[in-house]
Amino acid sequence: GAVVSQHPSWVICKSGTSVKIECRSLDFQATTMFWYRQFPKQSLMLMATSNEGSKATYEQGVEKDKFLINHASLTLSTLTVTSAHPEDSSFYICSASRLAGGPYEQYFGPGTRLTVT
Amino acid sequence: GQNIDQPTEMTATEGAIVQINCTYQTSGFNGLFWYQQHAGEAPTFLSYNVLDGLEEKGRFSSFLSRSKGYSYLLLKELQMKDSASYLCAPLDSNYQLIWGAGTKLIIKP
């Protein structure tokens, strides 16, 4: 297998607070992890790409100071939404890729549904 | 620019066959993935094509023509559980997946 877990699966928080989402690859080493956001009935939007031990690369329009990404080990990446606002309410999905062996398939976590009130 | 074109929605009957087409334009090309996404869930891998031709995997097959920038996903013996969105995602020269909005497939009894 190639299993990716996310925690929590859903979270409700108040406006102005911060929320941390964890993404773990359970049975493989993930050289690269990706964070996506998906609004209802819209396509996946890549937020950032992170490689273990280095700073994340953010997509244009994504505020790096608001969406803090840490990829401290080959099996764990975290996304922290700081000072969350209602417009940050979305479905956040992480995926992980193992470079060895190709074809650079991304294995997706189950997603985290964030609601900011 | 990079672009993915798939039909927004398709309807098919249980037990039938459906073909979902995808045309793409990317900066470089390193293969193309098809993913299935049920409502409220994360995508799951269906297939990967890097060479021209047809890849068959049970009820699902995927075809690629690199010269035409074209792929299709063929679903046979449709089941109600196949109702989902199907995402065509090519890999560009940076090995980044390019996502379109996907095709919502509705299966009717």
Side-chain angles (χ1 to χ4, degrees), chain B residues 8-104:
Chain B
T8 306
E9 189 173 295
M10 298 180 73
T11 303
T13 306
E14 191 176 15
I17 299 173
V18 72
Q19 178 174 310
I20 302 174
N21 295 321
C22 169
T23 56
Y24 61 88
Q25 290 176 306
T26 54
S27 304
F29 181 77
N30 283 297
L32 184 143
F33 289 89
W34 282 93
Y35 281 86
Q36 179 191 61
Q37 186 177 24
H38 284 100
E41 298 180 12
T44 55
F45 169 80
L46 287 179
S47 69
Y48 172 71
N49 294 64
V50 66
L51 298 176
D52 290 350
L54 188 68
E55 293 274 345
E56 296 187 74
K57 218 187 229 189
R59 292 191 299 117
F60 293 4
S61 303
S62 56
F63 172 84
L64 176 67
S65 168
R66 289 171 294 172
S67 62
K68 295 182 180 176
Y70 168 69
S71 175
Y72 69 72
L73 181 70
L74 190 72
L75 294 78
K76 302 176 187 174
E77 300 168 21
L78 286 170
Q79 301 174 9
M80 297 303 292
K81 67 178 182 179
D82 298 329
S83 292
S85 287
Y86 291 85
L87 310 172
C88 161
L91 267 174
D92 70 7
S93 56
N94 294 320
Y95 292 97
Q96 187 168 106
L97 279 173
I98 309 302
W99 297 94
T103 297
K104 183 179 179 181

Side-chain angles (χ1 to χ4, degrees), chain A residues 60-82:
Chain A
Q60 201 167 18
V62 178
E63 300 172 58
K64 61 181 180 182
D65 294 330
K66 181 172 180 62
F67 299 99
L68 302 178
I69 291 170
N70 184 281
H71 191 166
S73 77
L74 283 170
T75 59
L76 173 65
S77 176
T78 60
L79 167 69
T80 302
V81 183
T82 62

Side-chain angles (χ1 to χ4, degrees), chain A residues 37-45 90-91 93, chain B residues 37 85 87 99-102:
Chain A
R37 181 166 54 179
Q38 187 175 37
F39 293 104
K41 298 185 180 181
Q42 293 188 24
S43 61
L44 287 166
M45 278 177 38
S90 186
F91 190 42
I93 311 171
Chain B
Q37 186 177 24
S85 287
L87 310 172
W99 297 94

Side-chain angles (χ1 to χ4, degrees), chain A residues 1-6 23-36 93-111, chain B residues 33 35 42-46 97 99:
Chain A
V3 182
V4 176
S5 71
Q6 263 184 261
C23 177
R24 292 181 186 272
S25 57
L26 299 185
D27 52 1
F28 68 100
Q29 293 188 325
T31 312
T32 306
M33 284 186 168
F34 305 84
W35 286 96
Y36 292 89
I93 311 171
C94 75
S95 69
S97 173
R98 49 185 174 192
L99 227 48
Y104 310 102
E105 177 187 341
Q106 291 183 28
Y107 303 94
F108 284 85
Chain B
F33 289 89
Y35 281 86
T44 55
F45 169 80
L46 287 179
L97 279 173
W99 297 94

